[in-house]
Amino acid sequence: MSLPTPTTDDAAGNVVLGAPEIARALTRIAHEILERNKGGADVILLGIPTRGLPLARRLAERLEAVEPGLDAAALVGSLDVTMYRDDLAHHPTRTIGETDIPGGGLDGKVVVLVDDVLYSGRTIRAALDAISDLGRPRAVQLAALVDRGHRELPIRADYVGKNLPTSTTERVRVLLQESDGRDAVLIEGGVR
């Protein structure tokens, strides 16, 4: 499968995914979640702030659209991993966010962690540590809008919107309507 031809964005960087591509990727991921888990009855989507949370909400809306018995609002929670990170000594000024777990808790549920970009795997490792303090899910899965590679830990996504090979000198930036006023995935820096 070939990568889309990047277009230049005036603000900086190359646009590799626009709003239609992001919407299609989220719809596909929602269908894959339902297929793999034989429905959404036991699924909880935990968005990792900042951009994982709106993505989790969008996924929940798509799950509800496909499986009408689901309640999108009851499927979504937020998981702050700040205090579980192993790089706090390098970035001590992080703001602690909020963790919000849906009604019935995590025990016996299928937790799908939702994040915008999967890179080194360290954020997901922190999320796994946070989850172990909150309950004992039946399974933990990972959905990422973009997987850019360069893993430092043996972590992989179960659901990926787009595999996007990058160099370590490049930066992948996800823009979402909820926080940035538009949907796009940009690659900045490096030589393309």
Side-chain angles (χ1 to χ4, degrees):
M1 179 160 63
S2 64
L3 289 175
T5 305
T7 58
T8 302
D9 183 81
D10 294 336
N14 291 318
V15 177
V16 292
L17 293 177
E21 293 87 8
I22 291 172
R24 280 193 300 274
L26 291 174
T27 299
R28 180 177 39 78
I29 289 170
H31 283 274
E32 290 173 0
I33 289 170
L34 290 172
E35 286 176 23
R36 180 171 179 175
N37 295 295
K38 297 175 178 54
D42 290 333
V43 172
I44 292 176
L45 304 172
L46 289 184
I48 299 174
T50 305
R51 287 173 179 76
L53 184 53
L55 290 172
R57 288 183 179 128
R58 292 185 194 186
L59 281 171
E61 290 169 0
R62 284 165 169 82
L63 293 175
E64 182 183 55
V66 174
E67 195 170 305
L70 296 177
D71 176 9
L75 294 174
V76 179
S78 175
L79 183 65
D80 178 63
V81 301
T82 304
M83 296 310 296
Y84 295 89
R85 295 193 61 95
D86 63 2
D87 61 356
L88 285 177
H90 304 307
H91 304 287
T93 58
R94 290 185 187 269
T95 303
I96 296 175
E98 184 176 323
T99 292
D100 177 33
I101 303 300
L106 303 181
D107 291 343
K109 302 288 187 177
V110 174
V111 172
V112 180
L113 293 170
V114 182
D115 206 2
D116 57 347
V117 178
L118 179 58
Y119 182 38
S120 67
R122 294 190 177 278
T123 298
I124 303 309
R125 188 221 35 94
L128 293 170
D129 288 347
I131 286 172
S132 70
D133 283 349
L134 297 170
R136 191 169 193 279
R138 184 173 77 231
V140 178
Q141 299 168 359
L142 173 59
L145 180 61
V146 174
D147 184 346
R148 65 172 290 191
H150 305 287
R151 216 76 74 240
E152 296 172 5
L153 299 169
I155 290 174
R156 70 168 178 78
D158 298 282
Y159 315 102
V160 177
K162 184 70 175 172
N163 285 298
L164 192 59
T166 60
S167 77
T168 55
T169 60
E170 293 173 312
R171 180 174 176 236
V172 174
R173 193 163 63 123
V174 174
L175 304 175
L176 296 177
Q177 185 68 40
E178 295 87 340
S179 55
D180 307 297
R182 70 181 180 129
D183 286 346
V185 175
L186 310 173
I187 294 182
E188 302 171 331
V191 178
R192 272 232 162 232

